[in-house]
Amino acid sequence: MSWFGWKGDEKEGKEGKEGKSKGDKSPRGDGDEESSSGGGGWMNYMKGLLGFEDLKVEDTGDEQHSKKADPDAEKRKGLFKTLSSFIGKDVVSLVSLPVWIFEPMSFLQVMAEPLQYDDLLKKAAACPDPYLRLAYVAGFQCGLYNTAVRTKKPFNPLLGETFEIVSEKHGFKFLAEQVSHHPPIGVSETTHPAYDLQLETELHTKLYGNSSEVIIHGTNHLDLKPVKEHYSWGHLSTYCHNIIIGSLWLDHFGELVVRNDTTGAKCVMKFTKAGWLGAGRYHVNGEIFDPEGKLRMKIQGKWSDSLRATPISEDGQAGEEVVVWESFHEQPNNKYNFTKFIEEEIINIPPELEKVLPPAPYPLGPTDSRLRGDRRLLEQGDMDAAGKAKHQMEEVQRAQRKEREGKSEPWTPRYFEKVPDDKFEYRWKFNGKYWEERAERAKQHGPQ
């Protein structure tokens, strides 16, 4: 996914039209109101998306942090000369960005960061109270938007790029694939004995001079296996202030609805828009309703800190408050401010793992994000070589697009298929082939 929605090459034309989400009925918060993944969640994604080293969320305009020197200040001003012609446009694939704004991660890797809060989904699956279950799923949303210290932009995934995690610690398997180039759409599938989680992100942005609005489309799906319930939700939008001059800060606001599609219950969460001098920023308030529309629980808190739920009895009396989510408040101490979860689960490449990742017949090399040449060179600190590798990959991708267009051959994702759905209009169906192929590679290289 890209900073302001700009991708590092030209529009993908036909395959983008086929991959574009249409008629998304999910609650997106359109009109009033983004997203990122942790210290992470979608907040991390949004901060990485914008790609500036002085981006930090503070209650009152980042006064303390603004005193720090910004090593990229002049580069930011210079970059604006290039970007100024796109003011007011929905820019999705117009500019190739310089490598200095990047961190050594792809956005497909960023999509996995919310899973550091997957304990909430396990709690939900084991919870006998249907409304507290919904509150835990709502708490997972705060984990998605939770504030973080990372500021660099992740690399745009290449069409057909993949990323996997097989986590022994957390017990889940995660796979993401870039299924469309224009518009940029990434889809991930996480499987665990207690739940299945699918995330879909389609980015749209507009630049307004010194600010930008970022809107994520797509429907997210969760199945809690022990209780046989299905949940769905959309995305918030984000407004980024001071992207060129001043101290950057992000504001998530609007309404997010998490629905229990099995029972008809729902949670309506309202993320407060920051007022003058940041008044009300971070605040989240919500209500959980039963299938008949009766209030059964109230939730409140801050997406930067914690979320609490208060049950409401049949006669309207408030019960004992329960903390359903708390931020880890981790303080990373490394060059890119990567959390322990990122270091252990997302960027770590032990030799035994590299042996079972998809091999190189893919025209741009191995498909897994960890093995991207530009990412690995940047991680090693070689900016010049990383920039050249990024440019070469963009050129190859551009040539592949032109070749497909010349043959009138649309792009077909390898592991996900977009299929019609009576309730949601469409779903991304995971075919399971990735794990079958991985198992065969594991047999060749010994047990993993």
Side-chain angles (χ1 to χ4, degrees), residues 12-23 159 178-187 200-204 217-218 410-413 416-419 426-428:
E12 188 61 13
K14 299 182 182 189
E15 50 270 59
K17 292 179 181 177
E18 296 184 6
K20 186 174 182 180
S21 302
K22 295 180 180 179
L159 187 61
Q178 191 72 4
V179 298
S180 173
H181 177 70
H182 178 70
I185 301 176
V187 181
E200 177 193 14
T201 61
E202 176 189 334
L203 179 69
H204 296 269
H217 290 177
W411 173 262
T412 302
F416 291 90
E417 180 185 3
K418 193 175 185 180
V419 297
Y426 73 91
R427 291 285 303 269
W428 288 100

Side-chain angles (χ1 to χ4, degrees), residues 278-342:
R281 196 158 169 214
Y282 307 121
H283 288 273
V284 180
N285 292 283
E287 296 175 318
I288 293 177
F289 300 94
D290 66 18
E292 286 71 44
K294 186 173 183 178
L295 178 65
R296 303 309 298 262
M297 189 168 283
K298 290 186 176 182
I299 59 176
Q300 62 178 341
K302 293 184 177 182
W303 51 263
S304 61
D305 181 60
S306 63
L307 191 70
R308 303 175 303 281
T310 303
I312 305 297
S313 66
E314 287 283 353
D315 59 0
Q317 299 299 309
E320 185 176 352
E321 185 178 83
V322 178
V323 176
V324 295
W325 168 79
E326 285 186 291
S327 170
F328 292 145
H329 293 299
E330 186 177 348
Q331 298 296 323
N333 185 25
N334 52 66
K335 181 178 179 180
Y336 289 101
N337 290 316
F338 287 155
T339 63
K340 186 176 180 181
F341 180 84
I342 295 173

Side-chain angles (χ1 to χ4, degrees), residues 66 95 262:
S66 64
V95 176
T262 304

Side-chain angles (χ1 to χ4, degrees), residues 26 42 141 144 197-201 218-222 230-235 256 261 424:
S26 62
W42 294 109
Q141 310 313 309
L144 295 177
L197 173 68
Q198 185 178 98
L199 303 177
E200 177 193 14
T201 61
T219 307
N220 305 303
H221 298 273
L222 170 69
H230 179 270
Y231 296 78
S232 63
W233 62 92
H235 299 273
L256 186 68
D261 299 299
F424 298 99

Side-chain angles (χ1 to χ4, degrees), residues 349-363:
I349 318 177
E352 62 273 17
L353 172 61
E354 189 164 356
K355 291 177 182 178
V356 298
L357 293 176
Y362 178 62

Side-chain angles (χ1 to χ4, degrees), residues 81-105:
K81 295 177 182 178
T82 302
L83 306 182
S84 58
S85 61
F86 304 121
I87 291 175
K89 298 180 181 179
D90 183 1
V91 275
V92 293
S93 56
L94 301 175
V95 176
S96 181
L97 297 171
V99 76
W100 59 263
I101 74 169
F102 291 89
E103 66 179 6
M105 281 179 62

Side-chain angles (χ1 to χ4, degrees), residues 356 434-446:
V356 298
Y434 182 90
W435 301 118
E436 295 172 4
E437 294 170 1
R438 188 187 194 276
E440 288 299 317
R441 291 192 295 271
K443 288 180 182 178
Q444 297 174 16
H445 298 286

